[in-house]
Amino acid sequence: MIELRTPREIEEMRPAGRFVAEVLTAVRQAAHVGTNLLELDELAHRMIKERGAESCYIDYHPSFGAMPFGKVICTSVNDAVLHGLPHDYALRDGDLLSIDFAVAVDGWVADSATSFVVGTSPTSERAAADAKLIRTTEVALEAGIAAARPGNKIGDISAAIAQVARAAGYSINTDFGGHGVGRTMHGDPHVPNDGRAGRGFPLRPGLVLAIEPWFLETTDEIYTDPDGWTLRSVDGSRGAHSEHTIAITEDDPIVLTARD
Ligand code: MG
């Protein structure tokens, strides 16, 4: 079921969005060469407790997960792109790290993700390829958000994302994509990262969506790591992921999880 939020409810969702942005910024600032993924999870967990927020991940146990997630952030490194289960790993110079984070504050959920390269990232083909991949997910996210307007349909968001990906030479996996957000992390409608403009559910003021382009460098196929969660590219190529929770209004969409 697709639920529309009143302007007042969207205002009530702002603190969750701001908090998600704060945590992602803090985690990003803490991710240095040598930082352990478990330390990043602990940092986010501490912030959740201090804020009195509620993790959407720790008890999360959908059909595609082997067991409850048990952590509060997703940390996907290099060939991992989604659902990376934080584990005992110290970040290395040049690692491409994607952090995904969803939390409930006062009963409203916000969900956001960001990718970046850890360390000094010296000039190299590798660094240039990573920068292009990350930037493409960010530009695709901006294009998807720009299409999130009344009068458009879900397919317009999907088509806008896909156009950016294809123009940059990436193929698209539609197994996982964006979704409605509200009292829970995943609601209707599904927002695929590829689709046909003018098709699908009509966008209306009050629709709150997580839009989340993610691309792999040279494949669109993934497999599940033996940890039961982490999704990796089948060819070892790197992945990147950008996500915001947005609210559709009569005017420009509100990016609830915008970071400074
Ligand atoms: Mg997310």
Side-chain angles (χ1 to χ4, degrees):
M1 191 181 84
I2 292 171
E3 292 177 270
L4 299 178
R5 309 296 170 188
T6 64
R8 183 175 168 173
E9 286 175 320
I10 290 170
E11 286 307 306
E12 288 173 6
M13 297 179 87
R14 283 185 186 271
R18 275 199 296 270
F19 180 63
V20 164
E22 263 173 53
V23 172
L24 280 182
T25 299
V27 168
R28 190 170 171 144
Q29 284 170 351
H32 304 295
V33 174
T35 305
N36 196 295
L37 298 178
L38 296 174
E39 294 173 54
L40 297 179
D41 182 70
E42 283 159 17
L43 167 64
H45 210 159
R46 248 187 344 262
M47 290 181 77
I48 288 172
K49 283 181 191 154
E50 283 167 14
R51 183 66 175 79
E54 197 179 331
S55 171
C56 296
Y57 288 174
I58 199 156
D59 298 322
Y60 188 54
H61 190 187
S63 55
F64 58 81
M67 71 288 288
F69 191 70
K71 303 291 180 192
V72 301
I73 58 173
C74 293
T75 54
S76 302
V77 181
N78 297 337
D79 65 314
V81 64
L82 295 177
H83 307 164
L85 184 63
H87 60 287
D88 182 11
Y89 174 80
L91 290 166
R92 298 175 189 174
D93 197 29
D95 276 348
L96 199 173
L97 176 61
S98 301
I99 305 282
D100 196 345
F101 180 61
V103 78
V105 174
D106 302 329
W108 292 106
V109 172
D111 186 358
S112 184
T114 185
S115 292
F116 55 96
V117 174
V118 174
T120 54
S121 175
T123 308
S124 66
E125 273 181 42
R126 174 76 269 149
D130 287 344
K132 180 190 166 193
L133 183 63
I134 292 167
R135 185 67 193 142
T136 302
T137 65
E138 292 169 349
V139 172
L141 176 57
E142 287 164 17
I145 293 171
R149 311 189 72 90
N152 279 353
K153 296 191 172 163
I154 290 288
D156 291 292
I157 298 175
S158 303
I161 290 169
Q163 190 183 9
V164 172
R166 293 215 172 85
Y170 304 122
S171 54
I172 299 155
N173 175 302
T174 52
D175 292 346
F176 296 92
H179 46 89
V181 177
R183 293 292 186 184
T184 59
M185 176 167 59
H186 289 138
D188 292 330
H190 179 52
V191 188
N193 288 328
D194 192 8
R196 292 172 68 178
R199 298 292 186 93
F201 185 78
L203 304 180
R204 297 196 184 103
L207 189 59
V208 179
L209 301 173
I211 300 177
E212 50 175 320
W214 60 275
F215 310 127
L216 301 164
E217 205 169 6
T218 52
T219 184
D220 56 18
E221 288 182 61
I222 49 178
Y223 73 95
T224 306
D225 183 276
D227 71 11
W229 279 98
T230 306
L231 299 178
R232 299 182 184 278
S233 69
V234 292
D235 66 356
S237 67
R238 291 182 167 200
H241 181 203
S242 292
E243 176 179 20
H244 275 308
T245 298
I246 62 114
I248 296 174
T249 74
E250 298 284 357
D251 302 307
D252 292 337
I254 299 168
V255 181
L256 292 163
T257 50
R259 294 185 297 278
D260 296 333

